[in-house]
Amino acid sequence: MRLPHPRYLLIAAAGLSAPALAQQAVPEEAVQKVEVKGTAASYDPRRDDTASRIVVRREEIERYGDTGVHDVLRRIPGVTVTVGANGKQEVRMRGLAGGYTQILLDGERTPAGFTLDSLSPETIERIEVLRAASAEFSTESVAGTINIVTRKKLRRSEREAKLGYMHSNEFRGPTFSTDLAERGERASWSLSAGGNHDALARASRSYQTNTRPDGIVDMRHNTVIAERGRMNRLNLGPRFSWTLDDGDSV
């Protein structure tokens, strides 16, 4: 018996394998393309972040025309502003004393002698309130952390002035604020000023009783103290920056 030439065997093997390869091929139309797009503009930190973090942005700070940072903080859930015995306002979280709440300025500890009264709401870009420990900031505080981020981006030229009037059950009076800014190629400066005139009119009441061991009340003392006062407040926030040749800024 004569065997076929090896060349014809190779052609026959190729013909048998062609249908098998054709069955394994995947049509190009069957491959689906999935494209995912996202933009940072749609990100809302106050809505999208977890419940342990609240971010108050500049639009919300300007909405109510507050003249002081403490007035802005009063509107944030979980934050309480109280007046101590020395008349100084304290910021508290979770019902703990003011010493358990950490106040940061641009993510850093505030310098010695710093008070929130020295800041004007016009100089604030956003306020971040953290009610739980975070790797982003120091965890030395027990109650929580309040990080106040100041405005750093200036328009080429800015001139803005606001007038208002504050009226509440205890305080009333006119308010004002103004923003001045200029930015050049190498240097920029800005000045934020705000103030108000408050007239205080309120009554403080206290009631005291004394009961003897036999159950007889031998003293009832009711005290009413009328308080009248006036307060003039002026906040100034100057800023000057200079860009050096190597790109560093002062």
Side-chain angles (χ1 to χ4, degrees), residues 207-210 216-222:
Y207 184 72
Q208 182 181 5
T209 62
N210 183 67
I216 299 177
V217 178
D218 60 356
M219 186 191 70
R220 291 187 176 88
H221 189 224
N222 190 10

Side-chain angles (χ1 to χ4, degrees), residues 167-181:
H167 185 276
S168 63
N169 294 333
E170 297 180 354
F171 296 93
R172 60 186 60 86
T175 64
F176 82 94
S177 64
T178 181
D179 288 325
L180 305 175

Side-chain angles (χ1 to χ4, degrees), residues 38-215:
T39 59
S42 60
Y43 169 67
D44 186 351
R46 185 164 187 175
R47 180 192 61 195
D48 300 332
D49 279 345
T50 60
S52 62
R53 182 187 182 104
I54 298 177
V55 178
V56 181
R57 311 185 76 169
R58 173 122 194 104
E59 295 79 9
E60 301 179 58
I61 297 175
E62 293 180 335
R63 182 176 303 169
Y64 300 98
D66 297 321
T67 58
V69 180
H70 290 100
D71 298 329
V72 179
L73 295 176
R74 285 189 178 95
R75 304 182 188 277
I76 302 177
V79 179
T80 305
V81 180
T82 60
V83 180
N86 56 356
K88 184 179 179 181
Q89 300 188 77
E90 296 182 351
V91 180
R92 301 185 177 187
M93 295 178 62
R94 296 186 179 181
L96 300 178
Y100 294 97
T101 300
Q102 181 176 232
I103 306 294
L104 301 179
L105 186 64
D106 294 327
E108 302 292 339
R109 293 182 181 179
T110 56
F114 172 82
T115 60
L116 292 178
D117 293 333
S118 61
L119 281 179
S120 175
E122 286 75 17
T123 63
I124 299 176
E125 180 65 27
R126 67 182 183 275
I127 299 177
E128 302 173 350
V129 180
L130 289 86
R131 292 177 287 185
S134 173
E136 184 178 359
F137 301 113
S138 172
T139 58
E140 295 181 0
S141 177
V142 176
T145 299
I146 299 177
N147 181 37
I148 300 176
V149 181
T150 58
R151 301 175 64 184
K152 295 181 176 63
K153 295 183 179 179
L154 302 175
R155 294 191 292 269
R156 180 69 62 178
S157 180
E158 182 176 356
R159 301 289 187 273
E160 184 179 14
K162 297 179 182 179
L163 295 176
Y165 187 84
M166 179 179 61
H167 185 276
S168 63
N169 294 333
E170 297 180 354
F171 296 93
R172 60 186 60 86
T175 64
F176 82 94
S177 64
T178 181
D179 288 325
L180 305 175
E182 288 288 347
R183 185 179 65 180
E185 297 297 331
R186 300 286 299 275
S188 63
W189 65 270
S190 65
L191 174 63
S192 298
N196 62 289
H197 171 76
D198 292 345
L200 171 65
R202 63 185 178 185
S204 176
R205 291 180 170 84
S206 63
Y207 184 72
Q208 182 181 5
T209 62
N210 183 67
T211 304
R212 300 188 314 193
D214 55 2

